[in-house]
Amino acid sequence: MKNIIIPPRLQEDDQVAVIAPSSPVKSSKLKKAADSITALGLIPVIYPSCSYSDDLYDIDKIAEQKTAEENSAEIPADVENEHIEQNEQLYRIKPPDHLYTGSPNRPYLSAPDIVRANDINNAFSDDNIKGIFCVRGGYGSLRLAELIDYDIVHNNPKPFIGLSDISFLQLAFLKKSSLATFHAPMPSASYIEHNDEFTMESLKKSLLKDDYTTVINCRTVRSKNAAGHIIASNLTMLYTLLGTPFEPDTSGCILFLEDINEPLYKIDRMLTALRLAGKFEACSAIVFGYFTGCCKTPADELILSSLMEETAEAADCAALSGLPFGHDFPCITLPTGGFAEISGNTVKITKQI
């Protein structure tokens, strides 16, 4: 990796965008997210993609409504089209013919593609916005691949925070815009409620300090010293990008992987496909984080451990497990595009290159 851009640090009272590039966020969680960001000393600015509440898609609630008018969850076509036309004019994005624009038909998306893409482009181009928090993951960021202006991202580097489905955007920004981002807990998980000093300190230092280094002890999967740039990703998202223009080059990198609620056979499939694609052989090390909800029994834990060992052995690279990152707490913030070193069972993570 060359010429990676480390974004400027955030400062107290900076305005930061809150966006929902993937699935919808409930209004109750949006309020908690805003409170969490405020607790960091920052000023949250809620963007349009967050305004399409999960409540809009509450099937039980819709079924209970008595009139035909109330029974429809659709946004009136004239209102929807007006919104899209206004956004096109403001952000100068013209949707391709295949673009989905009808919210109620796809309740797993927070908003139409054009709205979600515009939020990203606008947040990066707005000089008053100093950072961008993705409120949650889910599904949908991949649909924005052709609508994001990667030159805007490159020319206006800012801290970009998220994980899970947001991994696509982070890998895309690293490849297309040379921008380092932050694989970190999202505010809808409520930093305040968890009251986790480790997580908050890691997040604050990563975002608010110019230089930040931390050393964490892990479990050794395969002992070997290694060093390289950080690529942190949800396993499913990395697997999804195989064969696309956004597939990351893992050469010489330390690959950090996590996932949630995936059955073991799917984890096996994804690790095998990535191995066959040369992604593990190319990297200098693999670090496994949380695989939340993937193991139901002690036997499952043994299978998962064996998959990790098998992957590292086949790639002939260093490997660690048990790093606290992903869909659980405590959770370390990882700078994708930053630098890491592995020595024995420790990993040293550095924000700067």
Side-chain angles (χ1 to χ4, degrees):
M1 289 186 189
K2 296 181 180 179
N3 304 318
I4 298 172
I5 302 170
I6 302 293
R9 68 179 178 87
L10 294 174
Q11 301 183 54
E12 189 173 351
D13 293 331
D14 274 349
Q15 294 185 52
V16 293
V18 183
I19 64 174
S22 302
S23 292
V25 58
K26 291 184 177 180
S27 55
S28 59
K29 287 208 167 186
L30 184 58
K31 174 64 167 62
K32 290 180 180 179
D35 290 343
S36 292
I37 292 170
T38 301
L40 294 172
L42 305 169
I43 301 172
V45 179
I46 308 300
Y47 271 54
S49 56
C50 295
S51 67
Y52 288 73
S53 170
D54 266 338
D55 297 339
L56 179 64
Y57 312 114
D58 190 329
I59 303 302
D60 293 333
K61 182 183 293 185
I62 293 170
E64 290 172 0
Q65 296 174 344
K66 296 180 181 179
T67 67
E69 182 180 11
E70 291 175 331
N71 194 50
S72 173
E74 292 188 7
I75 298 172
D78 57 340
V79 174
E80 180 76 7
N81 291 337
E82 180 183 1
H83 190 176
I84 291 172
E85 287 169 5
Q86 287 175 351
N87 279 332
E88 285 181 36
Q89 184 177 6
L90 182 60
Y91 305 114
R92 297 175 185 163
I93 295 180
K94 182 173 177 59
D97 292 339
H98 67 269
L99 185 75
Y100 146 68
T101 58
S103 298
N105 295 329
R106 294 185 184 174
Y108 47 81
L109 299 177
S110 68
D113 293 347
I114 192 73
V115 176
R116 293 180 291 125
N118 284 343
D119 277 4
I120 293 170
N121 292 331
N122 187 44
F124 273 103
S125 62
D126 188 341
D127 291 339
N128 294 316
I129 297 296
K130 304 303 182 182
I132 303 166
F133 282 79
C134 297
V135 70
R136 65 160 295 187
Y139 166 76
S141 67
L142 187 64
R143 294 180 55 86
L144 309 182
E146 300 163 308
L147 296 174
I148 295 169
D149 189 326
Y150 296 101
D151 288 335
I152 286 179
V153 176
H154 175 82
N155 294 327
N156 300 275
K158 301 175 183 184
F160 184 87
I161 298 98
L163 53 72
S164 194
D165 192 67
I166 307 305
S167 294
F168 162 69
L169 297 172
Q170 295 171 320
L171 295 177
F173 294 161
L174 185 62
K175 183 160 188 173
K176 300 292 186 180
S177 307
S178 301
L179 178 66
T181 58
F182 296 94
H183 190 282
M186 292 176 285
S188 64
S190 185
Y191 309 144
I192 300 173
E193 287 185 358
H194 286 279
N195 196 25
D196 173 3
E197 184 177 351
F198 175 87
T199 300
M200 290 295 285
E201 282 302 301
S202 179
L203 185 62
K204 284 181 179 179
K205 288 179 179 178
S206 296
L207 299 180
L208 302 175
K209 301 288 185 183
D210 285 321
D211 296 300
Y212 173 50
T213 298
T214 186
V215 178
I216 304 289
N217 291 327
C218 302
R219 292 188 295 273
T220 301
V221 176
R222 191 165 189 272
S223 183
K224 200 172 184 180
N225 293 342
H229 286 102
I230 295 169
I231 291 183
S233 178
N234 174 263
L235 174 61
T236 299
M237 289 310 301
L238 183 63
Y239 167 75
T240 300
L241 294 181
L242 288 177
T244 74
F246 300 92
E247 179 181 336
D249 180 3
T250 59
S251 299
C253 294
I254 295 185
L255 193 56
F256 291 74
L257 297 174
E258 61 83 31
D259 219 318
I260 182 171
N261 293 338
E262 292 291 350
L264 292 176
Y265 78 88
K266 287 189 177 181
I267 293 174
D268 190 336
R269 175 193 295 158
M270 291 186 284
L271 291 174
T272 300
L274 288 163
R275 175 178 60 79
L276 293 173
K279 293 302 167 187
F280 298 135
E281 187 177 4
C283 70
S284 63
I286 309 166
V287 179
F288 296 98
Y290 293 122
F291 280 75
T292 307
C294 297
C295 296
K296 309 300 182 185
T297 67
D300 288 347
E301 295 281 358
L302 291 175
I303 293 171
L304 180 60
S305 294
S306 72
L307 289 172
M308 294 175 180
E309 293 168 5
E310 178 183 272
T311 299
E313 188 68 29
D316 189 26
C317 69
L320 300 175
S321 68
L323 185 72
F325 84 99
H327 290 78
D328 209 341
F329 290 90
C331 185
I332 192 171
T333 295
L334 293 172
T336 289
F339 198 79
E341 298 175 71
I342 289 176
S343 178
N345 69 332
T346 65
V347 56
K348 179 180 178 182
I349 297 163
T350 306
K351 177 178 174 180
Q352 297 291 357
I353 301 170

